[in-house]
Structure formats: C-alpha cells, structure tokens
Amino acid sequence: MSKGGKKGGTSRYGALLGKEMLELARSMKLVWVPLVFVALGIMQPVSIYYMPLILEHGGNLPEGTVIEMPMPLPSEVMSGTLSQFGVIGILVLVLVYMGVVSGERSSGTASLILVKPVSIMAYLGSKLTAMLLLALLSLLCGYLAAWYYTDLLIGKFAFGEFLGSFLLYGLWLAFAMAATLLFSTILRSSAGAAACVLVLLALLSIAANLAPHFAGWLPGALNSYAAQAANSTIEYTDVFVWVIVCTVLLIAGAYALSCTLLRNSATID
Amino acid sequence: MNDELAISKLIPIIAPFLVIQLILMVIAITLCIKAEATRGPKPMWILIIIFVNIVGPVAFLIAGRRNER
C-alpha cells in the first residue's frame, strides 16, 4: 500500500488534520481530556492547602492532636502537579490514543483512507499533530489551573518558571505521544500498545533517576528537568541540550519508523 | 462532617471538583446514550458514570464504547 505520491502532500495533510480535529471535537475528547488535567491540576494545591483540615476531620486522630505542617513552597506544589500529570495524565492520554492506528486498521477506516491518493506520511502526520495538540492543550489547561490555585492558596509562582517547566514537560508529553503512535502502528492490539508505551516511559524516567550517567541524556530526564525548572534550580549544561536534541530526534524517528512500518505492511487486516 | 463549620470550610475544596464532575458526567451520559454498542450493559455504565466521581465518566469515555465511530 504505497499509494500516493509526494505531490499535494501538504494540502492532503491539511484535509486530514481537519478530519482529525473534527473527530476530536465530535468525540468530545477536546473537552474532557483537558478537564481531567484541570481536575488533576487543582487537586495538588487544594489538597496540600487543606491537608491539616482533612486530617483533622477525616483521620481517626485522638482528640487534641496538634498537627504542625509547614506550608510547602509554590514551586514544590507546581512540580508536584507535574508528577501528578506524569502518572494519571499520561495514563489517560496513552489510553485515549492507544488505538490511534491499530484501531483504524482493525475497523477498516485506515484502508478506506489509504486507498485514496493520500500519502502515509500525511496520514500519520495528521494523527501525530492532533495527538500533540490535544496533549499540549490538556497540559496547558491543567497547569494553568494549578498555577491559579497555587497563586490563590499558597503563594506566587513566577511566569518564567511556569513557561520553562511547561515547555520541558510538554516535550516529554510529545515524546509519549510519538511513542504511542509508533507502538500503535507496530502492534495489532491497542491494549498491548498502551502497555508497551507505559512500560517504556516508566523505564525511561526510572533510568534517568537511577543512572543519570548512562541514561541522563534520554527523554526520561525531561521529568526532572521540568521539576528543576519549576524550582528554578535548573542548570543549562551540555547534557540538558543533549536531552532536548535527543528527544526531538526520537520523536522524528518514531514518526519516520511508523511511516515505514505502515507502508511495508498490509493496511487491511 | 461533625459541625457546620467544617462543611462551610469544605465547600471551597469540593466546588471545583463538583463542576468538573458535572461536566464530565453530562458528556459521558450523552455519549453513552448515543453509543451504538457499549462494553457491557448501558444501564450499568450510566450508574457508574453517575455514582463514581470523575473516574466513572473517564472510565466510560476511555473503555466504554466498542467502536468510536
């Protein structure tokens, strides 16, 4: 199925992207995925602020217990929010997109689209763009909500730190989305693809924490760089540049590899 | 939970979550009713969507429908 030349690729890409965005709006993903991130983003500052009250009324503490809890710094709350996004947020995004290619192949939609003169690069490119847009929009909404509540309840958080940590974390989410696209192309089963992506992401971030000398240049390090950017303790070293370059290359590589794989395999199951 | 003071203090905590839960619930119920095929009976999903906070609607939206188009 290597139909479709390079000619008119951009216009087809535009049409396909329009279809993807329409699909996002129609399935309400454009609304509910950002809302989940907003809930996660609110949860962190609110639960930290009200923790003494919650413990007082919810926990089975004996009468007269006095709980002294230092209020954490705004930057700690914001980096805590990012780690919330890293667990539940990425889980939701990966589960939403686990069948992005494999689902369309098994339902026959992919073969319907690819018999038209549409290049595989435009087809997968439109999907990847829609995935990145949804991921970044959700992250922006959630992180803005977290910023608002942190500002309201805990303290000021500077815009520079917000932007820096947002961009670094957005790159990590973009990597997660590219990996989802790749595994959804490799595997027929969407659940298997989701499991592979989640294991890969977990391994990368654990490796970057445990063995920074060996895995410090891999995308997994973006997690801790984003947290450092929130804490404004980030150092722009050579390794930092390597992490960025490596992640961008891996995203491009995942896209190219999925194009090759889809071209060389039958689109009809 | 034992006195009114606690409840008035708890309202600002839960208000944003109530709003989000409500929007998610409306979206999930609309899509559930419209869906041609769900995994498992529809009434079960509607009960889950209504009674499980935030996680219920999200669970339906991710895993509830057999084919999305």
Side-chain angles (χ1 to χ4, degrees):
Chain A
M1 269 291 184
S2 56
K3 284 198 173 189
K6 304 278 180 283
K7 269 185 260 172
T10 46
S11 62
R12 299 265 153 63
Y13 167 76
L16 284 170
L17 183 60
K19 171 196 155 285
E20 289 297 325
M21 296 314 288
L22 189 68
E23 171 66 27
L24 271 184
R26 219 177 251 164
S27 62
M28 302 298 276
K29 276 175 195 157
L30 213 49
V31 181
W32 73 260
V33 182
L35 268 181
V36 171
F37 273 74
V38 168
L40 286 176
I42 298 176
M43 192 117 51
Q44 189 73 11
V46 166
S47 64
I48 283 177
Y49 182 75
Y50 288 106
M51 190 53 84
L53 191 79
I54 294 167
L55 283 181
E56 195 181 319
H57 289 277
N60 299 318
L61 292 171
E63 282 294 316
T65 313
V66 178
I67 309 159
E68 287 286 332
M69 227 181 279
M71 193 54 82
L73 292 170
S75 55
E76 289 169 5
V77 179
M78 291 300 271
S79 53
T81 310
L82 285 182
S83 63
Q84 289 282 323
F85 291 155
V87 182
I88 308 171
I90 286 193
L91 180 71
V92 168
L93 279 173
V94 169
L95 288 179
V96 160
Y97 274 120
M98 62 187 179
V100 61
V101 179
S102 59
E104 291 217 333
R105 280 166 85 182
S106 61
S107 72
T109 319
S111 49
L112 272 181
I113 291 172
L114 290 171
V115 289
K116 291 172 188 150
V118 161
S119 74
I120 284 176
M121 287 187 79
Y123 172 67
L124 287 182
S126 70
K127 291 214 170 295
L128 187 60
T129 316
M131 290 163 89
L132 294 185
L133 281 176
L134 182 71
L136 292 180
L137 176 77
S138 308
L139 178 65
L140 183 65
C141 291
Y143 209 37
L144 277 175
W147 193 19
Y148 178 73
Y149 273 85
T150 305
D151 219 53
L152 209 66
L153 300 174
I154 291 156
K156 291 266 171 255
F157 187 70
F159 176 72
E161 269 103 66
F162 175 82
L163 191 67
S165 49
F166 169 73
L167 289 177
L168 286 172
Y169 210 79
L171 195 59
W172 170 241
L173 280 188
F175 174 74
M177 291 291 93
T180 312
L181 181 77
L182 177 62
F183 278 103
S184 186
T185 317
I186 296 176
L187 300 172
R188 291 286 158 90
S189 134
S190 44
C196 286
V197 175
L198 293 172
V199 167
L200 173 76
L201 295 178
L203 282 180
L204 276 177
S205 47
I206 291 171
N209 282 330
L210 288 185
H213 292 290
F214 295 106
W217 49 277
L218 286 169
L222 281 171
N223 271 318
S224 47
Y225 277 121
Q228 283 172 26
N231 291 325
S232 58
T233 54
I234 192 163
E235 287 169 16
Y236 297 101
T237 54
D238 288 351
V239 183
F240 174 76
V241 178
W242 265 113
V243 172
I244 305 280
V245 171
C246 177
T247 311
V248 172
L249 285 180
L250 279 175
I251 292 173
Y255 169 60
L257 188 57
S258 10
C259 287
T260 317
L261 284 171
L262 192 60
R263 192 169 291 135
N264 293 338
S265 65
T267 40
I268 306 160
D269 281 341
Chain B
M1 18 217 93
N2 8 20
D3 49 322
E4 285 165 39
L5 190 74
I7 291 168
S8 69
K9 271 188 189 170
L10 280 169
I11 284 174
I13 311 178
I14 49 178
F17 294 106
L18 281 182
V19 173
I20 291 172
Q21 155 73 7
L22 196 70
I23 303 174
L24 286 178
M25 202 168 85
V26 170
I27 293 174
I29 288 183
T30 320
L31 290 178
C32 183
I33 291 171
K34 274 193 200 163
E36 282 160 26
T38 52
R39 269 179 237 272
K42 265 189 198 188
M44 175 197 85
W45 274 116
I46 291 189
L47 287 179
I48 290 177
I49 290 167
I50 293 175
F51 289 108
V52 185
N53 283 328
I54 298 185
V55 179
V58 171
F60 171 75
L61 290 166
I62 288 176
R65 283 158 295 173
R66 227 168 255 290
N67 53 347
E68 292 190 7
R69 51 200 72 232

